[in-house]
Amino acid sequence: LILRPVYSQHSRDMVTGPQLSANDREYWRQRLRAEPEAWCAHEWVALATTPVSDNGNIVPRLFQMRSLVVAHGGGYHAMPGGLTRVPLQDDDLSISMQSGGRSKDTWVLLPPELPPPVELAGGAAALIHLRRPAPDLPSRVADNFFWLGRYLERTEAQAHLLRLIAGTLAEEGASTEPYALRPFFETLRLADSVYPLNLNGTQTLNLPAAEQELRDLMWALEQPNSLASNVARVERTAFRVKERLPGDVWNLFARLQQNHGAPEDPGIFLQKAFGELQDALAHLAAISGFMMDGMIHGYGWRFLDLGRCIERGLNMAELLRRVLGPIGAPPPNLLHNLLVGCECLLIYRRRYLTNLQVLPVLDLLACDDTNPHGLAFQLQRIQQHIADLPRKPEADPVGRPVDRLSLELSTMARLADPHQLAAADNIGARPAMMNYLHTATNELVALSDALGLEYFAHGGPEVTT
């Protein structure tokens, strides 16, 4: 048998049974007994060979031909020919294009006296059936759209904070104001990094360590939460629904991945980092615009936007918790950086001709449902999307977990009082705000899980889309 992982990210992740040694076969027997749900298997088909030109020589190669069929009337008709693929190596049973395989169109020439087997072009009297977005959506597609939205938002939020850090580090006196950057480093911090804040009583920022962590956060592909890793997740997930995305999006994906790594010269590092982050944010904004304007607003688009709203809500709750959660009044430069990182500084300046204060900042970012970057906006929009998703006719409107959780989140946002959230107790803590953010985070995570169980189950009778 040919074994493949159920949730493979690469087409070549396969185990070829006929080529295994005795020891390897025993290893795979034990592994399949331990995790049978993680693998699928299909029969190994002995492939024929075809002559192939290889460096001027005619050699035999295994080949596969992918046939094409056309729906016509009440059935299907096979097209003459197809796509023939051959591997780069003569023992490669996967015949993978990713590993260097080649392909050619295979034509079958009909005798001139025979008509084409299928009339593809309708005449003037052909009946055209008008179509709108299909009422159903494969669970696999819904799943990929949802996570594409989450990865896009995660990448954009990370790029905003990294740009904030790069710009602040380039300013004079950055090392003497470490608390203006500390919450953002904590939010983005790599698991095995050295924290760039010297806790030696002077409370200064370790600039070399901060720049090194910025390098890793941007370009270290081996780090799972670096910007480069998140961009790769976006591209990989988008590829799975490529036929449903606007064509111009793919040019932007290619540009998004065009980064040349951190420069060796430390003198231009921050300048290059800031410039690449500016470009990345411009491309991400263009991708979002194409998806908003170029996609039919059907169920696929709703799952995409649901993913973005949930991820943006989680990001905002985490930032507010780290910036406003510590006891005491945050310094103005920290509030300034919070608004810059959330793209809300200009909105704040237009509304309040005053110094930065906790109450109006918290109202703008947590309670204002007209601010598309704020938490309340996401919670309200989530409830609207959930209400428009398909459901079983017999389902209780508030009985499903997704309905209950979205309603609770929306209601919580409507009832939130910024004065109560900003109020500090006798030690300078804000318990109402922390409880609000903690509840929002837990319920957003629970809603993401509930959506997966309700709509993304790959098989079984519970799949509804």
Side-chain angles (χ1 to χ4, degrees):
L1 296 175
I2 303 295
L3 303 178
R4 295 181 184 271
V6 172
Y7 300 108
S8 173
Q9 296 179 350
H10 306 284
S11 62
R12 290 186 53 77
D13 290 344
M14 57 177 279
V15 179
T16 307
Q19 295 180 331
L20 294 178
S21 66
N23 290 337
D24 288 339
R25 284 199 298 272
E26 183 57 33
Y27 165 79
W28 279 104
R29 286 192 187 97
Q30 298 300 327
R31 185 164 178 181
L32 290 175
R33 291 191 183 104
E35 46 179 20
E37 75 287 348
W39 296 88
C40 59
H42 62 84
E43 182 181 356
W44 176 56
V45 179
L47 301 177
T49 63
T50 187
V52 172
S53 175
D54 185 14
N55 294 324
N57 299 316
I58 300 298
V59 296
R61 285 282 189 270
L62 301 175
F63 79 94
Q64 294 176 347
M65 189 175 78
R66 176 171 294 178
S67 300
L68 307 175
V69 295
V70 176
H72 181 70
Y76 296 87
H77 292 267
M79 298 290 290
L83 181 70
T84 299
R85 302 191 299 178
V86 296
L88 183 64
Q89 306 295 333
D90 56 3
D91 60 347
D92 185 357
L93 299 182
S94 68
I95 310 188
S96 169
M97 305 302 291
Q98 289 78 9
S99 63
R102 293 174 287 176
S103 67
K104 285 287 187 179
D105 289 332
T106 303
W107 294 2
V108 177
L109 302 181
L110 297 177
E113 65 274 10
L114 293 180
V118 178
E119 181 61 42
L120 298 180
L127 178 62
I128 300 298
H129 297 282
L130 298 179
R131 301 180 64 184
R132 297 288 170 87
D136 58 347
L137 186 73
S139 62
R140 171 189 58 82
V141 176
D143 192 356
N144 284 321
F145 267 128
F146 178 76
W147 281 101
L148 176 58
R150 291 200 63 170
Y151 290 144
L152 277 169
E153 181 58 36
R154 188 175 303 176
T155 304
E156 186 173 336
Q158 186 180 31
H160 277 299
L161 294 186
L162 289 173
R163 184 181 64 175
L164 167 66
I165 291 174
T168 304
L169 291 178
E171 297 174 356
E172 292 187 9
S175 62
T176 63
E177 298 181 346
Y179 287 107
L181 288 178
R182 179 169 185 166
F184 311 107
F185 268 120
E186 289 177 342
T187 301
L188 300 173
R189 187 181 179 189
L190 300 173
D192 57 352
S193 63
V194 177
Y195 189 67
L197 179 67
N198 293 329
L199 299 177
N200 55 6
T202 61
Q203 301 296 311
T204 60
L205 193 68
N206 184 340
L207 289 178
E211 290 189 9
Q212 181 58 49
E213 183 152 355
L214 182 60
R215 287 173 181 263
D216 293 338
L217 283 167
M218 285 190 61
W219 290 296
L221 191 58
E222 69 278 4
Q223 293 286 355
N225 59 331
S226 68
L227 184 66
S229 295
N230 282 326
V231 168
R233 290 188 183 97
V234 168
E235 194 276 337
R236 188 168 58 243
T237 309
F239 183 79
R240 296 169 182 163
V241 289
K242 60 183 182 298
E243 72 280 0
R244 298 171 183 262
L245 295 177
D248 289 328
V249 166
W250 291 103
N251 294 329
L252 293 168
F253 281 142
R255 295 180 185 179
L256 189 62
Q257 290 186 305
Q258 288 176 355
N259 67 74
H260 306 291
E264 296 297 330
D265 184 359
I268 63 171
F269 163 68
L270 291 175
Q271 179 182 359
K272 177 178 172 59
F274 191 87
E276 286 209 4
L277 290 166
Q278 288 278 68
D279 291 342
L281 286 169
H283 294 144
L284 287 166
I287 289 171
S288 299
F290 276 120
M291 289 182 173
M292 179 63 69
D293 257 1
M295 286 182 63
I296 294 294
H297 286 202
Y299 292 140
W301 176 84
R302 291 197 181 280
F303 280 112
L304 175 75
D305 204 49
L306 260 175
R308 299 201 71 146
C309 290
I310 289 177
E311 189 70 25
R312 183 170 290 187
L314 290 170
N315 290 337
M316 181 58 70
E318 175 71 4
L319 274 177
L320 291 173
R321 184 180 68 83
R322 291 190 179 276
V323 174
L324 303 179
I327 294 174
N333 57 349
L334 180 55
L335 293 177
H336 175 274
N337 284 349
L338 173 63
L339 291 170
V340 170
C342 298
E343 291 291 289
C344 292
L345 181 62
L346 293 180
I347 301 175
Y348 185 94
R349 293 299 189 193
R350 285 197 300 268
R351 290 186 182 180
Y352 306 104
L353 302 177
T354 181
N355 295 330
L356 299 176
Q357 300 178 22
V358 171
L359 175 60
V361 168
L362 189 58
D363 176 61
L364 177 63
L365 299 182
C367 304
D368 184 357
D369 61 4
T370 66
N371 177 16
H373 298 280
L375 178 59
F377 182 93
Q378 314 311 320
L379 303 186
Q380 300 280 38
R381 192 172 180 88
I382 286 170
Q383 199 276 333
Q384 296 168 7
H385 283 320
I386 294 294
D388 289 331
L389 290 181
R391 66 187 69 238
K392 295 179 180 178
E394 68 276 11
D396 186 341
V398 294
R400 301 187 312 165
V402 292
D403 293 317
R404 177 179 56 79
L405 288 166
S406 64
L407 184 58
E408 288 177 357
L409 287 166
S410 175
T411 303
M412 183 175 68
R414 291 177 183 273
L415 297 179
D417 184 344
H419 293 87
Q420 292 181 0
L421 298 183
D425 58 18
N426 55 355
I427 63 172
R430 300 179 182 83
M433 181 199 72
M434 295 300 287
N435 180 66
Y436 177 80
L437 298 177
H438 179 74
T439 302
T441 297
N442 287 344
E443 296 208 355
L444 284 170
V445 172
L447 177 61
S448 179
D449 293 340
L451 282 167
L453 292 174
E454 179 77 17
Y455 293 102
F456 308 151
H458 299 297
E462 295 301 320
V463 177
T464 57
T465 64

